[in-house]
Amino acid sequence: MIKIAIIGLGYVGTPLARLFATKYPVVGFDINQKRIEALKKGIDSTLELDKESLLSVLVEKPSDNVGLYCSADLEDIRDCNYYIVTVPTPVDKHNRPDLDPLYRSSETVGKVLKKGDTVIYESTVYPGVTEEECVPVLERISGLKFNEDFFAGYSPERINPGDKEHTVDKILKITSGSTPETGHAVNALYQSVITAGTHLAPSIKVAEAAKVIENSQRDINIAFVNELAKIFNLLEIDTHAVLEAAGTKWNFLNFKPGLVGGHCIGVDPYYLAQKAQEKGYNPEIILAGRRLNDSMGEYIATQVVKLMIKNGIIVNDAHLLMLGITFKENCPDVRNTKIVDVIHALSEYGMQIIIYDPWANPEEVMQEYGITTTAVLPEDTFDTIILGVAHDEFLKLDFDQLKSTEKSVVYDVKGVLGRKSDGGL
């Protein structure tokens, strides 16, 4: 009998746990007791699942019957035979991979690992992490031998936070295993619930590499159009008009300029670069793209200040409204949001900045960045308004009512306001 433990109930683990729970007994494990209590009531703070879909699979106690039980108690996952790890893999302040969450979750699984069990990792990593970093932890804690007593797999997550169309079951899944037999077993497990199908990679390292280049490729392409935006701004050419015209060719890749944040695209290239550097190769294109994208916050702040000066607005002590702080539209995820870079850069000019975002949790933003935000539109007017995130609510705003004078600046980071803005990427 298959019984699954999902380790980590965040943006990835919760939808995956719900999906598997439609067919198997599942225990969702997380060390955050508040998170567990909320999920037991059908409340998903990530907004990936609505209350009805979550409650439809929840069970009140762990059992061998189909359904999802959420727990912070290690004993509740002891009788599982598949352990799927979905913890975050961030970078530190020096942009070096931080594997601590993976080490800690591997220690957790190692305490309950039994002969015949399989541990599958979904977290984004560089090639080799599963077998060279995580498996030794599992062996050390459990006392079991890899590929004799227990087995491993890797199936990279492809969750797109806030996307209600490309849900976990509708995204083709890469699978892999530490032995050919394990690979087929892992593939069959996912194939039983993923309607979009699966792709069985020949090895765990191939699957790890495939995941890390997906977002590295996007990062490089966005860096290219960000550089184009800088050039076209100097030439006084509308970047979005250029991209629209170029996009009429059948094989033109449709990327738009902007801030590259979030837990994946802004992080994954550093994982691949780290592994390359360990092998003595310095990846030029990957790191150049990262440097350019990381510089966009400062660039946007500079462009805003130039527009303010041009309009005769005194920059020091100016009232500025930042619309949005999440890393993408219509989503509460604030992980690695680059809006913070813009805020920090503008703060150095002595502006009074109010950040309005109806999607973001003010407590989470304060804990993560030490920044005060509001979920309620301020009853005030502003010298400058920046559309940082294209939430649906922002597109309905009357920007004229938010302006303190006719000279007030509206800067459109996302390129969605058209003539309502005075400038943007």
Side-chain angles (χ1 to χ4, degrees):
M1 188 191 73
I2 292 174
K3 188 170 184 179
I4 302 168
I6 305 293
I7 313 300
L9 296 176
Y11 283 88
V12 176
T14 304
L16 187 67
R18 189 215 67 84
L19 179 62
F20 272 123
T22 60
K23 190 163 185 176
Y24 303 101
V26 176
V27 179
F29 178 86
D30 199 292
I31 59 174
N32 187 336
Q33 186 64 52
K34 288 184 178 180
R35 172 74 172 153
I36 295 298
E37 293 304 320
L39 289 172
K40 284 183 174 181
K41 297 174 183 175
I43 301 169
D44 176 19
S45 61
T46 70
L47 303 184
E48 291 300 299
L49 298 177
D50 59 44
K51 191 170 186 176
E52 182 180 358
S53 64
L54 187 51
L55 288 175
S56 68
V57 297
L58 287 178
V59 294
E60 293 183 0
K61 60 182 180 179
S63 70
D64 294 335
N65 297 321
V66 172
L68 171 63
Y69 180 74
C70 298
S71 175
D73 186 347
L74 190 64
E75 291 304 310
D76 289 331
I77 63 172
R78 190 173 291 278
D79 63 342
C80 294
N81 46 28
Y82 277 93
Y83 295 90
I84 303 179
V85 178
T86 62
V87 297
T89 44
V91 293
D92 63 19
K93 63 180 181 180
H94 303 294
N95 292 320
R96 293 177 301 209
D98 178 6
L99 299 179
D100 282 347
L102 274 180
Y103 291 143
R104 291 196 300 271
S105 60
S106 297
E107 289 173 353
T108 297
V109 174
K111 293 174 183 176
V112 295
L113 198 62
K114 309 173 299 301
K115 286 190 176 184
D117 289 350
T118 300
V119 185
I120 305 168
Y121 290 88
E122 289 216 1
S123 308
T124 303
V125 294
Y126 55 76
V129 166
T130 298
E131 293 159 297
E132 297 166 14
E133 300 288 343
C134 298
V135 163
V137 176
L138 294 171
E139 287 186 310
R140 174 172 56 83
I141 300 296
S142 69
L144 300 176
K145 191 168 180 59
F146 180 49
N147 278 342
E148 289 185 15
D149 298 323
F150 73 93
F151 306 90
Y154 183 76
S155 181
E157 60 88 3
R158 283 173 162 173
I159 292 288
N160 184 25
D163 191 337
K164 302 307 179 185
E165 180 180 352
H166 301 97
T167 51
V168 60
D169 56 313
K170 297 175 184 175
I171 303 172
L172 194 142
K173 205 84 163 69
I174 296 174
T175 61
S176 64
S178 55
T179 67
E181 295 79 13
T182 305
H184 286 293
V186 170
N187 189 67
L189 180 67
Y190 281 97
Q191 203 168 52
S192 68
V193 293
I194 303 291
T195 57
T198 59
H199 173 86
L200 178 56
S203 70
I204 286 177
K205 285 186 178 180
V206 167
E208 290 170 327
K211 168 58 180 177
V212 81
I213 70 165
E214 289 175 14
N215 289 321
S216 297
Q217 182 188 65
R218 286 182 58 79
D219 193 45
I220 291 166
N221 278 298
I222 296 171
F224 172 62
V225 294
N226 274 338
E227 188 161 60
L228 291 180
K230 290 183 175 183
I231 294 170
F232 293 145
N233 279 343
L234 290 171
L235 298 176
E236 298 183 350
I237 298 174
D238 185 334
T239 302
H240 290 274
V242 173
L243 294 174
E244 184 181 357
T248 58
K249 190 173 185 224
W250 74 91
N251 61 352
F252 185 81
L253 301 179
N254 184 28
F255 288 91
K256 295 189 182 335
L259 296 165
V260 186
H263 184 61
C264 291
I265 300 179
V267 172
D268 294 359
Y270 287 122
Y271 274 75
L272 185 56
Q274 168 83 5
K275 192 62 176 178
Q277 289 167 337
E278 286 179 5
K279 295 295 182 179
Y281 179 79
N282 187 49
E284 298 180 22
I285 293 176
I286 293 171
L287 290 180
R290 266 292 76 226
R291 284 192 296 270
L292 196 144
N293 284 339
D294 278 345
S295 74
M296 291 305 291
E298 182 74 37
Y299 174 77
I300 289 169
T302 301
Q303 294 298 107
V304 169
V305 170
K306 285 181 178 178
L307 275 173
M308 292 172 70
I309 294 171
K310 185 178 178 181
N311 280 22
I313 300 170
I314 299 173
V315 175
N316 186 36
D317 208 35
H319 287 228
L320 184 144
L321 176 64
M322 173 64 75
L323 295 174
I325 196 168
T326 61
F327 94 89
K328 64 178 294 187
E329 66 276 4
N330 304 322
C331 170
D333 196 347
V334 297
R335 292 175 298 174
N336 195 35
T337 173
K338 295 302 179 181
I339 297 292
V340 171
D341 294 350
V342 182
I343 293 167
H344 286 158
L346 291 171
S347 297
E348 294 179 0
Y349 290 94
M351 297 185 195
Q352 297 183 35
I353 302 173
I354 291 179
I355 304 151
Y356 163 54
D357 195 322
W359 284 83
N361 183 329
E363 291 182 8
E364 185 180 350
V365 177
M366 175 57 69
Q367 182 178 355
E368 189 77 17
Y369 302 106
I371 293 175
T372 300
T373 61
T374 177
V376 179
L377 181 64
E379 295 181 1
D380 204 350
T381 56
F382 300 89
D383 302 308
T384 300
I385 303 149
I386 300 177
L387 178 78
V389 186
H391 292 321
D392 289 344
E393 292 89 338
F394 297 161
L395 305 184
K396 302 171 185 176
L397 291 175
D398 186 339
F399 286 86
D400 288 334
Q401 288 189 354
L402 293 172
K403 294 179 179 180
S404 56
T405 69
E406 291 183 358
K407 293 183 178 181
S408 293
V409 169
V410 176
Y411 189 89
D412 183 8
V413 172
K414 303 299 292 185
V416 294
L417 295 180
R419 295 185 179 181
K420 294 179 183 178
S421 72
D422 300 291
L425 290 178

mmCIF file of all heavy atoms in Angstrom, residues 329-365:
data_model
loop_
_atom_site.group_PDB
_atom_site.id
_atom_site.type_symbol
_atom_site.label_atom_id
_atom_site.label_comp_id
_atom_site.label_asym_id
_atom_site.label_seq_id
_atom_site.Cartn_x
_atom_site.Cartn_y
_atom_site.Cartn_z
ATOM 1 N N GLU A 329 1.824 39.545 -10.048
ATOM 2 C CA GLU A 329 0.453 40.018 -9.907
ATOM 3 C C GLU A 329 -0.491 38.934 -9.403
ATOM 4 O O GLU A 329 -0.294 37.743 -9.647
ATOM 5 C CB GLU A 329 -0.061 40.560 -11.250
ATOM 6 C CG GLU A 329 -0.218 39.537 -12.360
ATOM 7 C CD GLU A 329 1.071 39.263 -13.111
ATOM 8 O OE1 GLU A 329 2.115 39.827 -12.719
ATOM 9 O OE2 GLU A 329 1.036 38.487 -14.087
ATOM 10 N N ASN A 330 -1.526 39.407 -8.684
ATOM 11 C CA ASN A 330 -2.634 38.556 -8.217
ATOM 12 C C ASN A 330 -2.154 37.329 -7.452
ATOM 13 O O ASN A 330 -2.642 36.211 -7.653
ATOM 14 C CB ASN A 330 -3.507 38.129 -9.414
ATOM 15 C CG ASN A 330 -4.021 39.323 -10.191
ATOM 16 O OD1 ASN A 330 -4.361 40.349 -9.619
ATOM 17 N ND2 ASN A 330 -4.064 39.197 -11.510
ATOM 18 N N CYS A 331 -1.198 37.564 -6.567
ATOM 19 C CA CYS A 331 -0.569 36.485 -5.818
ATOM 20 C C CYS A 331 0.008 37.073 -4.526
ATOM 21 O O CYS A 331 0.580 38.167 -4.560
ATOM 22 C CB CYS A 331 0.538 35.850 -6.668
ATOM 23 S SG CYS A 331 1.582 34.690 -5.798
ATOM 24 N N PRO A 332 -0.125 36.397 -3.376
ATOM 25 C CA PRO A 332 0.372 36.964 -2.120
ATOM 26 C C PRO A 332 1.855 36.700 -1.853
ATOM 27 O O PRO A 332 2.375 37.080 -0.816
ATOM 28 C CB PRO A 332 -0.494 36.247 -1.074
ATOM 29 C CG PRO A 332 -0.774 34.919 -1.668
ATOM 30 C CD PRO A 332 -0.901 35.150 -3.156
ATOM 31 N N ASP A 333 2.544 36.057 -2.785
ATOM 32 C CA ASP A 333 3.930 35.621 -2.575
ATOM 33 C C ASP A 333 4.889 36.813 -2.593
ATOM 34 O O ASP A 333 4.999 37.520 -3.601
ATOM 35 C CB ASP A 333 4.316 34.638 -3.682
ATOM 36 C CG ASP A 333 5.563 33.838 -3.346
ATOM 37 O OD1 ASP A 333 6.260 34.204 -2.383
ATOM 38 O OD2 ASP A 333 5.836 32.852 -4.048
ATOM 39 N N VAL A 334 5.584 37.041 -1.483
ATOM 40 C CA VAL A 334 6.545 38.156 -1.402
ATOM 41 C C VAL A 334 7.987 37.659 -1.374
ATOM 42 O O VAL A 334 8.916 38.443 -1.194
ATOM 43 C CB VAL A 334 6.291 39.037 -0.160
ATOM 44 C CG1 VAL A 334 4.926 39.683 -0.241
ATOM 45 C CG2 VAL A 334 6.442 38.237 1.133
ATOM 46 N N ARG A 335 8.194 36.365 -1.582
ATOM 47 C CA ARG A 335 9.548 35.816 -1.538
ATOM 48 C C ARG A 335 10.428 36.428 -2.625
ATOM 49 O O ARG A 335 10.087 36.431 -3.799
ATOM 50 C CB ARG A 335 9.517 34.293 -1.714
ATOM 51 C CG ARG A 335 8.881 33.537 -0.559
ATOM 52 C CD ARG A 335 8.780 32.059 -0.882
ATOM 53 N NE ARG A 335 7.933 31.800 -2.038
ATOM 54 C CZ ARG A 335 7.771 30.594 -2.591
ATOM 55 N NH1 ARG A 335 8.399 29.546 -2.091
ATOM 56 N NH2 ARG A 335 6.973 30.441 -3.638
ATOM 57 N N ASN A 336 11.570 36.963 -2.203
ATOM 58 C CA ASN A 336 12.560 37.513 -3.130
ATOM 59 C C ASN A 336 11.966 38.544 -4.089
ATOM 60 O O ASN A 336 12.357 38.637 -5.248
ATOM 61 C CB ASN A 336 13.215 36.378 -3.938
ATOM 62 C CG ASN A 336 14.488 36.822 -4.646
ATOM 63 O OD1 ASN A 336 15.250 37.644 -4.134
ATOM 64 N ND2 ASN A 336 14.728 36.296 -5.834
ATOM 65 N N THR A 337 11.020 39.352 -3.598
ATOM 66 C CA THR A 337 10.450 40.374 -4.463
ATOM 67 C C THR A 337 11.455 41.508 -4.688
ATOM 68 O O THR A 337 12.088 41.988 -3.755
ATOM 69 C CB THR A 337 9.147 40.945 -3.882
ATOM 70 O OG1 THR A 337 8.720 42.043 -4.693
ATOM 71 C CG2 THR A 337 9.319 41.437 -2.444
ATOM 72 N N LYS A 338 11.586 41.920 -5.925
ATOM 73 C CA LYS A 338 12.548 42.965 -6.273
ATOM 74 C C LYS A 338 11.969 44.371 -6.136
ATOM 75 O O LYS A 338 12.679 45.366 -6.337
ATOM 76 C CB LYS A 338 13.073 42.746 -7.699
ATOM 77 C CG LYS A 338 13.881 41.464 -7.836
ATOM 78 C CD LYS A 338 15.070 41.450 -6.889
ATOM 79 C CE LYS A 338 15.865 40.156 -6.994
ATOM 80 N NZ LYS A 338 17.003 40.112 -6.058
ATOM 81 N N ILE A 339 10.677 44.456 -5.810
ATOM 82 C CA ILE A 339 10.087 45.764 -5.501
ATOM 83 C C ILE A 339 10.842 46.384 -4.321
ATOM 84 O O ILE A 339 11.005 47.599 -4.224
ATOM 85 C CB ILE A 339 8.589 45.622 -5.157
ATOM 86 C CG1 ILE A 339 7.809 45.099 -6.363
ATOM 87 C CG2 ILE A 339 8.020 46.959 -4.688
ATOM 88 C CD1 ILE A 339 7.709 46.058 -7.516
ATOM 89 N N VAL A 340 11.311 45.530 -3.430
ATOM 90 C CA VAL A 340 12.061 45.982 -2.261
ATOM 91 C C VAL A 340 13.309 46.763 -2.682
ATOM 92 O O VAL A 340 13.678 47.753 -2.045
ATOM 93 C CB VAL A 340 12.447 44.775 -1.370
ATOM 94 C CG1 VAL A 340 13.412 45.184 -0.268
ATOM 95 C CG2 VAL A 340 11.192 44.161 -0.761
ATOM 96 N N ASP A 341 13.952 46.352 -3.759
ATOM 97 C CA ASP A 341 15.140 47.067 -4.257
ATOM 98 C C ASP A 341 14.790 48.494 -4.673
ATOM 99 O O ASP A 341 15.546 49.433 -4.423
ATOM 100 C CB ASP A 341 15.752 46.327 -5.449
ATOM 101 C CG ASP A 341 16.328 44.974 -5.056
ATOM 102 O OD1 ASP A 341 16.419 44.693 -3.844
ATOM 103 O OD2 ASP A 341 16.685 44.194 -5.956
ATOM 104 N N VAL A 342 13.628 48.634 -5.314
ATOM 105 C CA VAL A 342 13.180 49.968 -5.745
ATOM 106 C C VAL A 342 12.903 50.837 -4.518
ATOM 107 O O VAL A 342 13.301 52.012 -4.465
ATOM 108 C CB VAL A 342 11.911 49.864 -6.624
ATOM 109 C CG1 VAL A 342 11.481 51.248 -7.099
ATOM 110 C CG2 VAL A 342 12.143 48.939 -7.803
ATOM 111 N N ILE A 343 12.237 50.266 -3.529
ATOM 112 C CA ILE A 343 11.891 51.004 -2.306
ATOM 113 C C ILE A 343 13.152 51.475 -1.584
ATOM 114 O O ILE A 343 13.245 52.631 -1.164
ATOM 115 C CB ILE A 343 11.021 50.127 -1.385
ATOM 116 C CG1 ILE A 343 9.659 49.860 -2.031
ATOM 117 C CG2 ILE A 343 10.832 50.787 -0.022
ATOM 118 C CD1 ILE A 343 8.855 48.767 -1.358
ATOM 119 N N HIS A 344 14.114 50.588 -1.433
ATOM 120 C CA HIS A 344 15.355 50.951 -0.749
ATOM 121 C C HIS A 344 16.097 52.059 -1.490
ATOM 122 O O HIS A 344 16.624 52.996 -0.876
ATOM 123 C CB HIS A 344 16.252 49.722 -0.611
ATOM 124 C CG HIS A 344 15.776 48.750 0.425
ATOM 125 N ND1 HIS A 344 16.136 47.418 0.442
ATOM 126 C CD2 HIS A 344 14.932 48.914 1.488
ATOM 127 C CE1 HIS A 344 15.559 46.821 1.470
ATOM 128 N NE2 HIS A 344 14.823 47.710 2.105
ATOM 129 N N ALA A 345 16.134 51.965 -2.804
ATOM 130 C CA ALA A 345 16.826 52.983 -3.605
ATOM 131 C C ALA A 345 16.140 54.335 -3.488
ATOM 132 O O ALA A 345 16.799 55.373 -3.343
ATOM 133 C CB ALA A 345 16.902 52.539 -5.066
ATOM 134 N N LEU A 346 14.810 54.352 -3.529
ATOM 135 C CA LEU A 346 14.070 55.611 -3.427
ATOM 136 C C LEU A 346 14.152 56.206 -2.021
ATOM 137 O O LEU A 346 14.134 57.433 -1.854
ATOM 138 C CB LEU A 346 12.610 55.394 -3.814
ATOM 139 C CG LEU A 346 12.334 55.085 -5.291
ATOM 140 C CD1 LEU A 346 10.885 54.670 -5.494
ATOM 141 C CD2 LEU A 346 12.675 56.282 -6.168
ATOM 142 N N SER A 347 14.242 55.338 -1.016
ATOM 143 C CA SER A 347 14.329 55.811 0.369
ATOM 144 C C SER A 347 15.570 56.663 0.597
ATOM 145 O O SER A 347 15.570 57.565 1.451
ATOM 146 C CB SER A 347 14.346 54.621 1.336
ATOM 147 O OG SER A 347 13.135 53.898 1.245
ATOM 148 N N GLU A 348 16.624 56.395 -0.163
ATOM 149 C CA GLU A 348 17.866 57.153 -0.014
ATOM 150 C C GLU A 348 17.712 58.608 -0.447
ATOM 151 O O GLU A 348 18.546 59.443 -0.121
ATOM 152 C CB GLU A 348 18.986 56.482 -0.804
ATOM 153 C CG GLU A 348 19.357 55.107 -0.260
ATOM 154 C CD GLU A 348 20.462 54.440 -1.060
ATOM 155 O OE1 GLU A 348 20.935 55.068 -2.051
ATOM 156 O OE2 GLU A 348 20.860 53.311 -0.719
ATOM 157 N N TYR A 349 16.645 58.905 -1.188
ATOM 158 C CA TYR A 349 16.385 60.282 -1.630
ATOM 159 C C TYR A 349 15.543 61.048 -0.619
ATOM 160 O O TYR A 349 15.192 62.207 -0.856
ATOM 161 C CB TYR A 349 15.678 60.279 -2.989
ATOM 162 C CG TYR A 349 16.554 59.823 -4.134
ATOM 163 C CD1 TYR A 349 16.561 58.493 -4.538
ATOM 164 C CD2 TYR A 349 17.379 60.722 -4.811
ATOM 165 C CE1 TYR A 349 17.344 58.060 -5.594
ATOM 166 C CE2 TYR A 349 18.165 60.304 -5.867
ATOM 167 C CZ TYR A 349 18.145 58.978 -6.252
ATOM 168 O OH TYR A 349 18.948 58.555 -7.302
ATOM 169 N N GLY A 350 15.176 60.410 0.487
ATOM 170 C CA GLY A 350 14.411 61.101 1.532
ATOM 171 C C GLY A 350 12.930 61.199 1.252
ATOM 172 O O GLY A 350 12.253 62.074 1.806
ATOM 173 N N MET A 351 12.416 60.315 0.412
ATOM 174 C CA MET A 351 10.980 60.347 0.108
ATOM 175 C C MET A 351 10.161 59.706 1.226
ATOM 176 O O MET A 351 10.647 58.854 1.964
ATOM 177 C CB MET A 351 10.701 59.596 -1.200
ATOM 178 C CG MET A 351 11.358 60.199 -2.420
ATOM 179 S SD MET A 351 10.825 59.313 -3.902
ATOM 180 C CE MET A 351 12.047 59.902 -5.083
ATOM 181 N N GLN A 352 8.907 60.118 1.323
ATOM 182 C CA GLN A 352 7.950 59.471 2.226
ATOM 183 C C GLN A 352 7.155 58.457 1.397
ATOM 184 O O GLN A 352 6.346 58.839 0.557
ATOM 185 C CB GLN A 352 7.014 60.501 2.853
ATOM 186 C CG GLN A 352 7.721 61.520 3.743
ATOM 187 C CD GLN A 352 6.736 62.469 4.395
ATOM 188 O OE1 GLN A 352 5.624 62.080 4.748
ATOM 189 N NE2 GLN A 352 7.137 63.726 4.548
ATOM 190 N N ILE A 353 7.425 57.184 1.628
ATOM 191 C CA ILE A 353 6.882 56.127 0.775
ATOM 192 C C ILE A 353 5.793 55.340 1.509
ATOM 193 O O ILE A 353 5.997 54.864 2.622
ATOM 194 C CB ILE A 353 8.002 55.168 0.324
ATOM 195 C CG1 ILE A 353 9.095 55.946 -0.423
ATOM 196 C CG2 ILE A 353 7.441 54.060 -0.560
ATOM 197 C CD1 ILE A 353 10.317 55.117 -0.759
ATOM 198 N N ILE A 354 4.645 55.232 0.861
ATOM 199 C CA ILE A 354 3.568 54.374 1.350
ATOM 200 C C ILE A 354 3.417 53.218 0.367
ATOM 201 O O ILE A 354 3.353 53.431 -0.852
ATOM 202 C CB ILE A 354 2.243 55.146 1.482
ATOM 203 C CG1 ILE A 354 2.340 56.163 2.619
ATOM 204 C CG2 ILE A 354 1.081 54.180 1.739
ATOM 205 C CD1 ILE A 354 1.087 56.981 2.811
ATOM 206 N N ILE A 355 3.379 52.003 0.896
ATOM 207 C CA ILE A 355 3.276 50.812 0.047
ATOM 208 C C ILE A 355 1.903 50.190 0.235
ATOM 209 O O ILE A 355 1.544 49.779 1.346
ATOM 210 C CB ILE A 355 4.377 49.792 0.403
ATOM 211 C CG1 ILE A 355 5.754 50.438 0.294
ATOM 212 C CG2 ILE A 355 4.296 48.565 -0.502
ATOM 213 C CD1 ILE A 355 6.773 49.843 1.208
ATOM 214 N N TYR A 356 1.145 50.146 -0.833
ATOM 215 C CA TYR A 356 -0.203 49.592 -0.790
ATOM 216 C C TYR A 356 -0.257 48.298 -1.594
ATOM 217 O O TYR A 356 0.097 48.277 -2.776
ATOM 218 C CB TYR A 356 -1.193 50.616 -1.350
ATOM 219 C CG TYR A 356 -2.548 50.050 -1.743
ATOM 220 C CD1 TYR A 356 -3.311 49.313 -0.831
ATOM 221 C CD2 TYR A 356 -3.076 50.275 -3.014
ATOM 222 C CE1 TYR A 356 -4.554 48.799 -1.185
ATOM 223 C CE2 TYR A 356 -4.328 49.782 -3.380
ATOM 224 C CZ TYR A 356 -5.051 49.032 -2.469
ATOM 225 O OH TYR A 356 -6.283 48.523 -2.817
ATOM 226 N N ASP A 357 -0.654 47.220 -0.951
ATOM 227 C CA ASP A 357 -0.809 45.942 -1.652
ATOM 228 C C ASP A 357 -1.900 45.123 -0.965
ATOM 229 O O ASP A 357 -1.711 44.624 0.139
ATOM 230 C CB ASP A 357 0.499 45.146 -1.653
ATOM 231 C CG ASP A 357 0.468 44.011 -2.656
ATOM 232 O OD1 ASP A 357 -0.586 43.374 -2.800
ATOM 233 O OD2 ASP A 357 1.506 43.757 -3.315
ATOM 234 N N PRO A 358 -3.063 44.992 -1.611
ATOM 235 C CA PRO A 358 -4.168 44.246 -0.998
ATOM 236 C C PRO A 358 -3.933 42.739 -0.955
ATOM 237 O O PRO A 358 -4.666 42.013 -0.284
ATOM 238 C CB PRO A 358 -5.358 44.585 -1.912
ATOM 239 C CG PRO A 358 -4.733 44.901 -3.230
ATOM 240 C CD PRO A 358 -3.421 45.550 -2.922
ATOM 241 N N TRP A 359 -2.916 42.248 -1.668
ATOM 242 C CA TRP A 359 -2.624 40.817 -1.705
ATOM 243 C C TRP A 359 -1.604 40.399 -0.646
ATOM 244 O O TRP A 359 -1.614 39.258 -0.187
ATOM 245 C CB TRP A 359 -2.110 40.414 -3.089
ATOM 246 C CG TRP A 359 -3.176 40.335 -4.125
ATOM 247 C CD1 TRP A 359 -3.699 41.381 -4.845
ATOM 248 C CD2 TRP A 359 -3.881 39.168 -4.553
ATOM 249 N NE1 TRP A 359 -4.678 40.933 -5.697
ATOM 250 C CE2 TRP A 359 -4.802 39.572 -5.546
ATOM 251 C CE3 TRP A 359 -3.821 37.828 -4.205
ATOM 252 C CZ2 TRP A 359 -5.650 38.671 -6.181
ATOM 253 C CZ3 TRP A 359 -4.660 36.925 -4.839
ATOM 254 C CH2 TRP A 359 -5.567 37.343 -5.817
ATOM 255 N N ALA A 360 -0.698 41.281 -0.287
ATOM 256 C CA ALA A 360 0.397 40.921 0.613
ATOM 257 C C ALA A 360 -0.045 40.956 2.078
ATOM 258 O O ALA A 360 -0.846 41.810 2.471
ATOM 259 C CB ALA A 360 1.578 41.859 0.400
ATOM 260 N N ASN A 361 0.508 40.066 2.867
ATOM 261 C CA ASN A 361 0.273 40.044 4.308
ATOM 262 C C ASN A 361 1.250 41.012 4.975
ATOM 263 O O ASN A 361 2.464 40.782 4.946
ATOM 264 C CB ASN A 361 0.488 38.627 4.849
ATOM 265 C CG ASN A 361 0.182 38.513 6.331
ATOM 266 O OD1 ASN A 361 0.359 39.458 7.097
ATOM 267 N ND2 ASN A 361 -0.257 37.351 6.758
ATOM 268 N N PRO A 362 0.759 42.118 5.579
ATOM 269 C CA PRO A 362 1.661 43.111 6.182
ATOM 270 C C PRO A 362 2.615 42.523 7.212
ATOM 271 O O PRO A 362 3.778 42.935 7.296
ATOM 272 C CB PRO A 362 0.703 44.125 6.815
ATOM 273 C CG PRO A 362 -0.553 44.019 6.006
ATOM 274 C CD PRO A 362 -0.651 42.560 5.651
ATOM 275 N N GLU A 363 2.143 41.546 8.001
ATOM 276 C CA GLU A 363 3.003 40.921 9.004
ATOM 277 C C GLU A 363 4.140 40.153 8.356
ATOM 278 O O GLU A 363 5.282 40.189 8.826
ATOM 279 C CB GLU A 363 2.179 39.976 9.887
ATOM 280 C CG GLU A 363 1.191 40.692 10.805
ATOM 281 C CD GLU A 363 0.435 39.713 11.691
ATOM 282 O OE1 GLU A 363 0.802 38.509 11.694
ATOM 283 O OE2 GLU A 363 -0.524 40.139 12.363
ATOM 284 N N GLU A 364 3.837 39.464 7.268
ATOM 285 C CA GLU A 364 4.862 38.697 6.561
ATOM 286 C C GLU A 364 5.900 39.620 5.943
ATOM 287 O O GLU A 364 7.101 39.350 5.994
ATOM 288 C CB GLU A 364 4.212 37.835 5.479
ATOM 289 C CG GLU A 364 5.186 36.910 4.769
ATOM 290 C CD GLU A 364 4.502 36.070 3.698
ATOM 291 O OE1 GLU A 364 3.258 36.066 3.631
ATOM 292 O OE2 GLU A 364 5.232 35.417 2.933
ATOM 293 N N VAL A 365 5.443 40.724 5.359
ATOM 294 C CA VAL A 365 6.370 41.690 4.753
ATOM 295 C C VAL A 365 7.274 42.309 5.819
ATOM 296 O O VAL A 365 8.487 42.460 5.620
ATOM 297 C CB VAL A 365 5.603 42.789 3.994
ATOM 298 C CG1 VAL A 365 6.579 43.827 3.433
ATOM 299 C CG2 VAL A 365 4.763 42.197 2.874
#
